[in-house]
Amino acid sequence: MSKASAYAAFDPTSPLGPFHVERREPGPLDVQIDILYCGVCHSDLHTAKNEWSGTVYPCVPGHEIVGRVSKVGADVKGFAVGSLAAVGCMVDACRTCESCSEGLEQYCDRGETTYTYNSKDKLGPGPVTYGGYSSQIVVAEAFCLRVSDKLPLAAVAPLLCAGVTTWSPLKHWHAGPGTKVGVVGLGGLGHMAVKLSHAFGAHTVLFTTSPSKAEDARRLGADEVVISTDPAAMKAHASSFDLILDTVAASHDLDAYTQLLRRDATLTLLGAPQHAHPSPGVGKLINKRRSIAGTLIGGIGETQDMLNFCAAHGIVSDIELIPIQQINVAYERMLKSDVRYRFVIDMSSLTAG
Ligand code: NAP
Ligand code: ZN
Ligand code: ZN
């Protein structure tokens, strides 16, 4: 076992601060990664503050991890010491059920998905998994991703959650040329949704509560921007969307978006707010056989496909690089929708000074 430096939440309300975690000695199929960068997802904040309940403290968040391999087990085939590697939202699952066999480990039928942090640590040393706000992580090769050395590495990190979480529904609901896709909220997930939807060739419309983000949204790939607090602007898009991705991190009125769907189209929820959305109006759904769905991150195979696509198309996240000591300020800004468009922690700050 080795000791890794980390930052942890110690209770729901105090600021995050320095901590140490034990990492297991790499087994034959494990990869040990020295973490270079870790993105800051709103899920980190929900978990640190126990907004979904069930947080085990101390909690080390972080599931947008990129780094360099520093040790490999004897049977590891795909990674060598010195190569780049990445870890996303999961580090294990049952690997044999129907969903796992289909490459959808996040929907493991046995409920054995092990998330990168705050999950029971079956492979040890536990008691729970500790995430990427840390100098090092040890992961099974099967849950380790390959990243291109052609892209700026810090800006690749957010692809590991924000990228694949928006990639997966865009693929599942066939976003592409001839489709009209809405994205609600221009934060970490939202800005990746805009970039990917645009890259898939869909007509992409961004809904935001922040007029100051409109220009950026167009630069990121939105064909149109709608200020969602403007009823006339919303009405202009009635019954016209094939798919809407809702990334908002707070409870809000879903009817405002279901009525923008055409017949048989889908509003899919990505945002996972602490408090439930007000119940949607049945009339708006039955009227045009519209659906409200939900979607959770993406499988390991999908994540690798997304990383390969982004490398081929030069797609990365727009980031603000921060030292770990600024994580509490970053959380405060995230709560004010003041993210442009993903904070990424430079992990060298963890051990500097
Ligand atoms: P984020 O960077 O904080 O972005 C959220 C955006 O939602 C804001 O920038 C803002 O955009 C909009 N928003 C509108 N009203 C808001 C309010 N009252 N409070 C906060 N945001 C508001 O968050 P994120 O990292 O993209 O994550 C978004 C949500 O998705 C979180 O709930 C997170 O836990 C969840 N998530 C889900 C999955 C999944 O697998 N389903 C994966 C990752 C994250 P505008 O300023 O443009 O209005
Ligand atoms: Zn995330
Ligand atoms: Zn499974």
Side-chain angles (χ1 to χ4, degrees):
M1 274 197 310
S2 60
K3 242 189 174 51
S5 307
Y7 247 56
F10 297 96
D11 61 61
T13 51
S14 311
L16 278 71
F19 184 58
H20 282 92
V21 294
E22 299 285 355
R23 298 297 190 188
R24 67 178 181 268
E25 197 52 37
L29 290 168
D30 283 338
V31 177
Q32 176 182 292
I33 301 168
D34 290 348
I35 300 174
L36 295 169
Y37 301 104
C38 183
V40 179
C41 179
H42 207 113
S43 301
D44 300 354
L45 187 159
H46 289 308
T47 309
K49 295 184 181 297
N50 199 27
E51 290 179 355
W52 295 333
S53 74
T55 301
V56 177
Y57 295 100
C59 168
V60 178
H63 57 203
E64 295 182 337
I65 300 166
V66 292
R68 213 168 270 289
V69 175
S70 51
K71 225 184 236 185
V72 291
D75 298 331
V76 168
K77 299 275 188 292
F79 294 87
V81 171
S83 53
L84 293 175
V87 181
C89 304
M90 301 178 282
V91 291
D92 205 1
C94 91
R95 309 190 194 189
T96 55
C97 73
E98 197 178 321
S99 293
C100 283
S101 305
E102 288 177 27
L104 295 168
E105 300 88 349
Q106 74 276 32
Y107 301 124
C108 176
D109 302 331
R110 298 201 175 93
E112 289 181 22
T113 308
T114 303
Y115 295 98
T116 305
Y117 58 82
N118 202 48
S119 262
K120 189 167 182 268
D121 188 7
K122 281 174 277 185
L123 299 172
V128 289
T129 52
Y130 297 113
Y133 297 5
S134 170
S135 56
Q136 203 176 71
I137 192 165
V138 177
V139 193
E141 181 185 13
F143 284 75
C144 216
L145 286 310
R146 263 166 286 280
V147 293
S148 164
D149 58 8
K150 307 261 180 318
L151 297 175
L153 205 54
V156 168
L159 302 181
L160 275 301
C161 174
V164 73
T165 299
T166 51
W167 166 279
S168 184
L170 287 169
K171 284 281 180 195
H172 181 75
W173 278 283
H174 309 295
T179 62
K180 183 173 172 183
V181 172
V183 174
V184 188
L186 197 67
L189 265 55
H191 94 290
M192 286 313 307
V194 167
K195 287 189 183 211
L196 291 172
S197 174
H198 173 76
F200 291 175
H203 183 84
T204 305
V205 181
L206 185 270
F207 294 92
T208 182
T209 58
S210 309
S212 63
K213 294 180 182 173
E215 201 180 315
D216 281 344
R218 288 198 183 83
R219 175 179 55 78
L220 295 166
D223 297 290
E224 298 179 65
V225 178
V226 176
I227 308 304
S228 54
T229 47
D230 175 349
M234 293 290 280
K235 204 167 174 205
H237 289 271
S239 304
S240 66
F241 282 89
D242 297 287
L243 174 66
I244 300 178
L245 270 54
D246 187 335
T247 76
V248 175
S251 169
H252 62 281
D253 170 28
L254 300 182
D255 291 346
Y257 297 101
T258 49
Q259 63 198 357
L260 305 188
L261 297 170
R262 54 193 296 162
R263 176 174 54 78
D264 290 328
T266 301
L267 165 69
T268 186
L269 305 178
L270 281 61
Q274 176 181 14
H275 303 292
H277 298 299
S279 185
V282 172
K284 303 245 182 323
L285 295 171
I286 62 178
N287 190 22
K288 289 190 183 294
R289 204 161 55 186
R290 294 155 166 151
S291 299
I292 298 178
T295 176
L296 178 67
I297 53 175
I300 292 298
E302 285 181 293
T303 309
Q304 192 62 63
D305 289 348
M306 176 275 309
L307 287 168
N308 297 348
F309 178 92
C310 288
H313 291 80
I315 295 174
V316 288
S317 182
D318 282 34
I319 66 160
E320 259 187 71
L321 196 63
I322 58 163
I324 188 85
Q325 292 79 6
Q326 276 179 26
I327 188 64
N328 297 298
V329 177
Y331 279 15
E332 286 307 314
R333 285 185 51 194
M334 201 146 63
L335 286 172
K336 291 188 273 186
S337 302
D338 180 20
V339 184
R340 311 222 168 192
Y341 284 90
R342 194 59 135 187
F343 292 109
V344 172
I345 304 162
D346 180 348
M347 216 48 74
S348 65
S349 61
L350 195 54
T351 44

